[in-house]
Amino acid sequence: MIYVNIIIINIMLWVGLSYFWSFWTHKVFKPWRWLELKKRGLIKSDVARGERTYKDRVRYYAYFFCMEQVERAETAGSFVMAGLEDAELIGLLRSQCPEREMWAIGPMEATEVTLTHENCQGEVSNEPVSVDYVDEKEVRRLMPESGRNHVMKGGVAELVGKVTGPVALAAIDCVEYEGVTAALDHLRPLMSRGGMMIIHSYNHTWDGVRRAVDDFCAKTGDGIVPLPDMYGSVAIGIGK
């Protein structure tokens, strides 16, 4: 019995330390720019709440600072989100910049895709993977029908061509080569000078995303900046 009590006490200590460590680091390890804007009251309250609970704060900050950059530069154009795996990021942009026109395009339901994967021995296999795109009802709750909000359910490759410019911020969060390529090919010419593009899942697992970005940049000469978020993203700043 004494050993059981020791194990229970250790588990309780570990849970307590984990909680207080998370609570403490939430207050300490933040970008200085975020803290400055929050102190000045320039971050909307629901955006600040979202930062506390979102699973990948680096990605959350990346969205926020790309948005803040185009706002600070007064870059003309809409916000475009293609793919839509995270409702919280839709809420961030829609809440912080309610006056911007915004496009949301994606399957908006769980979708099965085929993943081509190469293991350490160089063996290539194709395996089905389920991608949990954000639900359509949640998207429409965050972006109720209006002249500023455009919600389109379906494949990115088929629908992204309906987006009209100019575009200030584009986020591409789909996992197939065709969708990423179609989004980049259509949106890049619509981007305003000073605009920003973010492409998610640029990693060894989603080979189609990485190949699409590399092929596109080889063609256009655009450079990418890797972002240190959980699943790998890259940013492209539009200078021309």
Side-chain angles (χ1 to χ4, degrees), residues 54-190:
Y54 189 66
K55 62 183 179 296
D56 185 353
R57 285 186 188 155
V58 174
R59 177 175 289 194
Y60 199 85
Y61 293 139
Y63 262 76
F64 181 86
F65 290 128
C66 284
M67 175 276 303
E68 195 235 344
Q69 168 60 29
V70 300
E71 284 287 284
R72 188 153 30 103
E74 298 182 348
T75 304
S78 61
F79 292 166
V80 179
M81 302 188 72
L84 307 175
E85 287 192 50
D86 292 303
E88 297 92 336
L89 300 178
I90 301 172
L92 186 164
L93 297 181
R94 187 69 290 173
S95 296
Q96 192 69 26
C97 302
E99 74 288 347
R100 289 269 186 175
E101 184 178 13
M102 189 162 164
W103 302 76
I105 309 163
M108 302 186 199
E109 62 186 3
T111 303
E112 190 173 273
V113 300
T114 300
L115 172 65
T116 301
H117 180 69
E118 182 177 344
N119 64 20
C120 297
Q121 287 73 43
E123 301 167 333
V124 178
S125 61
N126 295 320
E127 46 191 270
V129 176
S130 179
V131 180
D132 293 324
Y133 288 107
V134 64
D135 184 72
E136 181 183 7
K137 289 182 180 178
E138 181 64 9
V139 177
R140 293 192 182 278
R141 182 185 72 80
L142 295 166
M143 297 177 60
E145 199 68 37
S146 74
R148 293 193 307 273
N149 293 331
H150 310 281
V151 178
M152 295 186 289
K153 180 180 178 179
V156 171
E158 293 74 34
L159 294 176
V160 72
K162 296 185 178 182
V163 175
T164 56
V167 175
L169 175 63
I172 301 169
D173 192 12
C174 44
V175 294
E176 295 174 291
Y177 181 91
E178 295 76 14
V180 177
T181 298
L184 288 169
D185 284 344
H186 181 73
L187 296 176
R188 176 61 176 87
L190 301 179

Side-chain angles (χ1 to χ4, degrees), residues 8-28:
I8 293 173
I9 291 170
N10 276 282
I11 291 173
M12 292 177 65
L13 285 172
W14 180 81
V15 171
L17 286 172
S18 297
Y19 171 78
F20 285 109
W21 174 256
S22 175
F23 182 76
W24 182 69
T25 55
H26 164 73
K27 291 178 176 266
V28 177

